[in-house]
């Protein structure tokens, strides 16, 4: 399946990535049509069957389903009786484009609301971190636990363990630097990677730090702390 391309057609053309945009757009259109049919097929007397969203998520993944839902709800101005759905939809950036109308779900508003609720429940069950768990994004990232945006992960990697990263160095760690690079270590599996500052939602607030992450954090900070404390305890400082 084509990887979701989150930028506009104009930007894709400018970056020489128009083929990627086209492939992603075709997948968006197919997803919207499939969800429209799925909702209609699994409706019984005004009620959506409980596993409908689960079927869609298994086929299309969280990332694309959320993207298509957000495009649909934003264009519709929400569902009226579900104000939170519009707030959520607007938190997902959909680049303005005349072709956006091609991947909107066509479904009864009540059934669509039920689908959104089901999909949201599936997402909540993953235990992912969100903006509500973060402090301000204008903090220095050096030596902090950072929360990676879910849309930067492949669908099969959507878990809180893959979201928490320890910021180590890079110009992007500073909120005032023109640089973007942040070099960090994943608290889940120890992977080291380079990210852009904008790939992170912000710094995880301490009260939300899980025990497993606290243990890994202590390991990562330990050697650095010992190195820092060494000279202060009478060790020889190399010039």
């Amino acid at each position: 399946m084509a990887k979701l391309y989150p930028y506009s057609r104009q930007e894709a053309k400018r970056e020489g990535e128009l083929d990627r945009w086209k492939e992603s757009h075709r997948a968006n259109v197919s997803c919207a049509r499939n969800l429209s049919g799925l909702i209609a097929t699994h409706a019984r007397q005004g009620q959506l069957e409980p596993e409908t969203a689960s079927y869609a998520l298994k086929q299309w993944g969280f990332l694309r389903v959320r993207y298509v839902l957000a495009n649909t709800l934003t264009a519709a101005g929400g569902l009226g009786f579900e104000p939170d759905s519009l707030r959520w939809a607007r938190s997902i950036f959909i680049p303005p484009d005349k072709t956006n109308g091609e991947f909107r779900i066509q479904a009864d508003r009540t059934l669509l609301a039920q689908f959104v609720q089901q999909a949201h429940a599936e997402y909540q069950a993953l235990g992912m971190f969100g903006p509500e768990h973060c402090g301000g994004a204008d903090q220095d990232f050096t030596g902090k636990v950072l929360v990676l945006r879910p849309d930067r992960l492949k669908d099969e990697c959507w878990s809180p363990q893959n979201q928490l990263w320890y910021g180590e160095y890079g110009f992007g760690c500073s909120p005032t630097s023109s640089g973007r690079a942040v070099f960090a270590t994943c608290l889940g599996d120890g992977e080291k990677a380079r990210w852009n500052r904008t790939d992170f939602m912000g710094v995880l607030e301490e009260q939300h730090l899980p025990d497993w992450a606290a243990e890994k954090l202590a390991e990562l900070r330990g050697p650095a702390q010992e190195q820092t404390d060494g000279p202060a305890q009478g060790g020889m400082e190399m010039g």
Side-chain angles (χ1 to χ4, degrees):
M1 186 185 299
K3 185 177 180 181
L4 180 70
Y5 190 82
Y7 308 111
S8 68
R9 179 187 179 95
Q10 290 77 10
E11 188 167 353
K13 189 174 182 179
R14 184 171 60 249
E15 297 296 325
E17 299 176 336
L18 194 55
D19 286 344
R20 288 181 57 194
W21 179 90
K22 289 179 178 178
E23 189 177 14
S24 179
H25 181 72
R26 284 194 293 268
N28 291 340
V29 173
S30 296
C31 179
R33 290 175 179 171
N34 180 259
L35 297 188
S36 299
L38 198 64
I39 291 172
T41 302
H42 290 267
R44 297 289 183 273
Q45 298 180 339
Q47 294 294 315
L48 201 61
E49 294 179 353
E51 300 298 319
T52 306
S54 180
Y55 300 145
L57 292 168
K58 287 177 182 177
Q59 180 174 356
W60 296 100
F62 276 99
L63 197 55
R64 194 170 305 278
V65 169
R66 281 161 55 91
Y67 194 79
V68 171
L69 278 175
N71 181 57
T72 302
L73 297 181
T74 302
L79 297 172
F81 45 87
E82 285 283 343
D84 287 343
S85 66
L86 181 59
R87 189 179 306 114
W88 162 79
R90 286 176 173 168
S91 72
I92 298 175
F93 177 65
I94 309 294
D97 194 283
K98 62 182 181 180
T99 63
N100 286 355
E102 297 174 8
F103 63 98
R104 291 174 188 154
I105 301 168
Q106 305 298 319
D108 175 84
R109 291 168 72 88
T110 301
L111 294 175
L112 182 57
Q114 293 175 32
F115 184 89
V116 171
Q117 291 171 348
Q118 288 184 15
H120 185 65
E122 293 271 352
Y123 177 75
Q124 290 294 100
L126 296 176
M128 301 287 278
F129 294 100
E132 67 275 14
H133 301 112
C134 303
D138 57 348
Q139 299 181 53
D140 191 294
F141 285 177
T142 307
K144 304 288 179 59
V145 177
L146 311 177
V147 181
L148 191 67
R149 298 180 186 279
D151 59 7
R152 300 306 192 263
L153 292 167
K154 296 179 180 178
D155 277 301
E156 59 269 26
C157 296
W158 274 38
S159 73
Q161 287 79 8
N162 290 323
Q163 272 191 288
L164 298 188
W165 292 71
Y166 178 60
E168 296 183 289
Y169 63 95
F171 289 115
C173 286
S174 170
T176 59
S177 172
S178 59
R180 299 182 300 169
V182 174
F183 294 88
T185 298
C186 180
L187 295 184
D189 60 9
E191 176 189 356
K192 294 182 178 292
R194 176 209 181 278
W195 298 96
N196 289 335
R197 184 179 177 88
T198 53
D199 291 328
F200 297 100
M201 287 186 278
V203 175
L204 183 72
E205 293 182 343
E206 189 173 353
Q207 66 267 30
H208 299 303
L209 184 68
D211 291 341
W212 61 264
E215 293 176 7
K216 183 62 178 180
L217 184 62
E219 292 178 15
L220 291 173
R221 285 177 170 171
Q225 190 65 42
E226 291 173 6
Q227 191 175 29
T228 301
D229 291 346
Q233 297 174 354
M236 182 179 293
E237 184 174 359
M238 303 298 290

